[in-house]
Amino acid sequence: MVVGYTSAFFRERGREVQIDTYGNGTGLLESGKQYDLYLLDVMMPGLNGIETAARLGKGSSPVVLITSSLEAAVDGYSVNAAGFILKPVGKKDFEATMERVVKQRLGGDDACISVVHNRVPLQLKLERIAWFENRLHRVFVTLTDGEVISIHQKLTELQEELGGYPGFLRCHQSYLVNLEQVERLEDSCFYMKDGQMIPISRNFYKQSKNAYYHHRLK
């Protein structure tokens, strides 16, 4: 259950994650692997979660303890636990703790936009977005890794939502681009870092040119 919650938590926020599981603390420690975040059950066989966290050291990545006892949570402060999740683990409480820990300890405050893909709400980090394209009565998002996903919002809605981020520019009736992903401006086109060409329409050209050079001078 916890593995499923963890996978869904990061996936829905547009963050790639690799999850490894261990049956006990000894197996984790003997693996020699370093992780960005540890979710440790206090009642693991052998070395319990608190003992495992102690051996990881206070300078390690954040540790979240999963426990059925508030008393164990008190002990968790001795190993500088970043958070606690009480059993039985509920999705709402799990996400609330993870939101806080990720924001405080893993830079989870990166700017994101909420989108709906295949009826599933996602949080896309803005830095992952290259451009939005309105095509065939749908909006498609091209990501910096080349992946393309379709979403349900309209381009005008996205433009309004991104109004507080000057790095995103409406340059055409059908395109909204991330200026961080623009390689150069040439004629009436933006040439993107991946080699693709995004047209700039006449109605948007002046503001696009000004926004591009202003962005480059930042």
Side-chain angles (χ1 to χ4, degrees):
M1 180 180 294
V2 171
V3 173
Y5 284 167
T6 305
S7 178
F9 175 86
F10 286 105
R11 184 180 65 249
E12 290 169 5
R13 288 155 182 78
R15 299 182 69 151
E16 296 181 3
V17 64
Q18 177 183 330
I19 301 173
D20 293 335
T21 61
Y22 298 86
N24 53 60
T26 301
L28 167 62
L29 295 171
E30 290 181 347
S31 74
K33 292 185 177 181
Q34 301 291 319
Y35 296 95
D36 295 322
L37 175 67
Y38 297 91
L39 297 175
L40 302 178
D41 193 323
V42 170
M43 297 303 293
M44 290 188 295
L47 285 179
N48 65 36
I50 293 174
E51 292 169 336
T52 302
R55 296 201 184 187
L56 286 171
K58 291 187 177 182
S60 70
S61 297
V63 170
V64 174
L65 293 173
I66 302 169
T67 176
S68 57
S69 167
L70 288 175
E71 293 179 2
V74 173
D75 293 336
Y77 286 108
S78 66
V79 292
N80 200 30
F84 305 92
I85 298 173
L86 287 176
K87 297 179 181 178
V89 180
K91 190 171 189 291
K92 185 176 180 180
D93 291 339
F94 176 87
E95 291 188 341
T97 297
M98 290 291 285
E99 283 279 12
R100 179 183 59 78
V101 172
V102 169
K103 182 176 182 179
Q104 293 177 352
R105 305 291 292 274
L106 297 179
D109 56 347
D110 291 337
C112 295
I113 188 172
S114 300
V115 300
V116 178
H117 171 57
N118 290 338
R119 300 182 179 180
V120 177
L122 299 175
Q123 292 288 322
L124 275 182
K125 290 176 67 175
L126 299 189
E127 66 181 24
R128 294 188 63 214
I129 300 169
W131 70 84
F132 299 92
E133 178 185 1
N134 186 22
R135 172 165 45 91
L136 301 175
H137 306 293
R138 296 291 299 274
V139 171
F140 295 85
V141 189
T142 297
L143 304 179
T144 54
D145 61 4
E147 181 183 1
V148 179
I149 63 174
S150 63
I151 60 176
H152 291 282
Q153 290 95 321
K154 295 179 180 179
L155 208 58
T156 52
E157 295 172 346
L158 294 165
Q159 183 180 5
E160 290 178 4
E161 190 170 349
L162 291 166
Y165 301 96
F168 281 82
L169 173 71
R170 184 77 175 266
C171 64
H172 189 282
Q173 193 66 26
S174 300
Y175 291 92
L176 179 64
V177 300
N178 181 357
L179 290 172
E180 282 292 327
Q181 297 302 316
V182 174
E183 183 69 32
R184 68 185 189 277
L185 167 65
E186 191 171 305
D187 297 327
S188 57
C189 296
F190 281 131
Y191 286 82
M192 310 302 287
K193 291 181 178 180
D194 65 356
Q196 296 295 313
M197 182 182 70
I198 303 298
I200 304 172
S201 66
R202 182 180 300 175
N203 291 338
F204 290 92
Y205 183 77
K206 184 176 180 179
Q207 70 182 52
S208 296
K209 180 179 179 180
N210 289 341
Y212 169 73
Y213 284 113
H214 180 75
H215 187 79
R216 289 289 298 269
L217 292 172
K218 287 175 61 178

